[in-house]
Amino acid sequence: MPARCPIGDYLTLCAEALNLSPDRVLRRAGLSGEVLSEADVHVPPQTYFALWQAMLDEADRPDAELTLALSATRGPVPPPVFAFSCADTLALGIVRLGMFKSLLGPLTLMVRQASEGVEICPASADRLVPLPARLGLFELLYITDCARRFTGTHVVPAEVTLPADLPVVEGVADFLGCAPRAGPEVALVFSAEDAARPLISRSPALWQSLEPTLAAQLVQAQPPETVADQVRAALRDSLAGGASSVEAIARRLALSKRSLQRRLAEEGTSFQGLLAETRQQLAGHYLRQPDLSLPEIAYLLGFGDSSSFFRAFQGWTGQTPGSIRSQSAKRAS
């Protein structure tokens, strides 16, 4: 998560869409209007969310989220959304958007793929600063409109959940095509059929040119190294040797197992989650290396056998390692 998030262009574009004065929004949030005259203005997550709330309060209109979402999909395309548009399918595009969402602000997209479809849950990238529910609703509306534009079809979410205390105006339900139900989190589900839809904007060549730049920006945006970062680095070094248990990594970091797990929990993550994340990232890299066999990749990822690797990979992506490798080979030819 970026420790501080950019606001200049974001605030200006949103204010224009809602016909607001950026200066009035800033004052309502307790900030000086002079910040917009500064280059590369960044604020901490709590200020970012306060600006969002100030914008809604200043607009004082129930359809603000929908207005902003429709305006955003017709405005400049941020690089993470461009990465979404270059993907082969809707599901893959959403996964890519989730990978780079933090470049746009203090948000993450939790993407869960299953046989019934793909679920998207916007969340705050800082577990100590909750995501405003109306910002979460904006994200669902924006993603739905992107899905329709990039697939060329009127995709309708299979399910939308919102907090019970969040009022939903009629126009929002009409736009989504389904009535949101009350739930513990802001979430949206696309059916398996829609998730598999090809994007009319897909471009493997553009993605290959864009991915290194986005990956570099993601690294630059990271705050000082956390315990989770240290675990990721240790896992990358030790997976192939088989020393990837929580006990082995704790010893490597000179921590007790209990201390390591406690500190990871304080950072909002877990050892098993980091292990799966690291394996998935490395798997994508290794599968692009044609000289590595699938059993060799399984070994490099610390799996005891190829079957375990195949099952894990299908759980991460919904596809087999062989199919991903075939797709990469076709793009390279």
Side-chain angles (χ1 to χ4, degrees), residues 113-115 280 310-321 323-324:
Q113 298 193 68
S115 58
Q280 183 177 359
F310 287 8
R311 286 194 299 271
F313 192 86
Q314 284 189 297
W316 300 329
T317 67
Q319 301 183 68
T320 66
S323 66
I324 294 293

Side-chain angles (χ1 to χ4, degrees), residues 156-234:
V156 174
E159 184 177 292
V160 174
T161 59
L162 297 170
D165 59 352
L166 178 64
V168 178
V169 300
E170 184 177 346
V172 167
D174 291 342
F175 173 79
L176 290 170
C178 67
R181 65 176 183 83
E185 58 188 358
V186 177
L188 176 150
V189 176
F190 287 122
S191 69
E193 179 183 1
D194 284 335
R197 289 186 185 277
L199 302 190
I200 59 176
S201 54
R202 61 188 180 276
S203 176
L206 284 176
W207 167 243
Q208 287 182 349
S209 66
L210 180 63
E211 181 185 18
T213 301
L214 286 175
Q217 290 178 3
L218 204 58
V219 171
Q220 293 170 2
Q222 295 303 311
E225 190 174 56
T226 61
V227 174
D229 293 326
Q230 296 176 48
V231 169
R232 291 186 185 96

Side-chain angles (χ1 to χ4, degrees), residues 134-290:
R134 293 185 69 180
L135 179 53
L137 173 59
F138 160 79
E139 290 293 328
L140 298 190
L141 296 169
Y142 179 67
I143 290 170
T144 299
D145 203 34
C146 284
R148 292 169 178 170
R149 294 171 70 84
F150 298 158
T151 62
T153 60
H154 190 75
V155 176
V156 174
E159 184 177 292
V160 174
T161 59
L162 297 170
D165 59 352
L166 178 64
V168 178
V169 300
E170 184 177 346
V172 167
D174 291 342
F175 173 79
L176 290 170
C178 67
R181 65 176 183 83
E185 58 188 358
V186 177
L188 176 150
V189 176
F190 287 122
S191 69
E193 179 183 1
D194 284 335
R197 289 186 185 277
L199 302 190
I200 59 176
S201 54
R202 61 188 180 276
S203 176
L206 284 176
W207 167 243
Q208 287 182 349
S209 66
L210 180 63
E211 181 185 18
T213 301
L214 286 175
Q217 290 178 3
L218 204 58
V219 171
Q220 293 170 2
Q222 295 303 311
E225 190 174 56
T226 61
V227 174
D229 293 326
Q230 296 176 48
V231 169
R232 291 186 185 96
L235 285 169
R236 286 192 291 268
D237 289 342
S238 59
L239 276 172
S244 56
S245 67
V246 62
E247 292 83 4
I249 298 301
R251 285 194 298 271
R252 186 182 178 110
L253 300 181
L255 293 170
S256 69
K257 174 183 173 181
R258 179 172 295 182
S259 293
L260 175 59
Q261 292 174 323
R262 175 179 54 79
R263 294 180 65 176
L264 289 175
E266 290 172 353
E267 294 178 6
T269 188
S270 68
F271 178 80
Q272 288 302 320
L274 294 173
L275 176 60
E277 172 194 305
T278 304
R279 279 174 161 166
Q280 183 177 359
Q281 291 174 347
L282 289 175
H285 171 71
Y286 291 146
L287 286 169
R288 291 193 290 270
Q289 314 304 314

Side-chain angles (χ1 to χ4, degrees), residues 66-80:
L66 182 57
T67 299
L68 288 172
L70 296 177
S71 174
T73 55
R74 288 151 182 78
V77 180

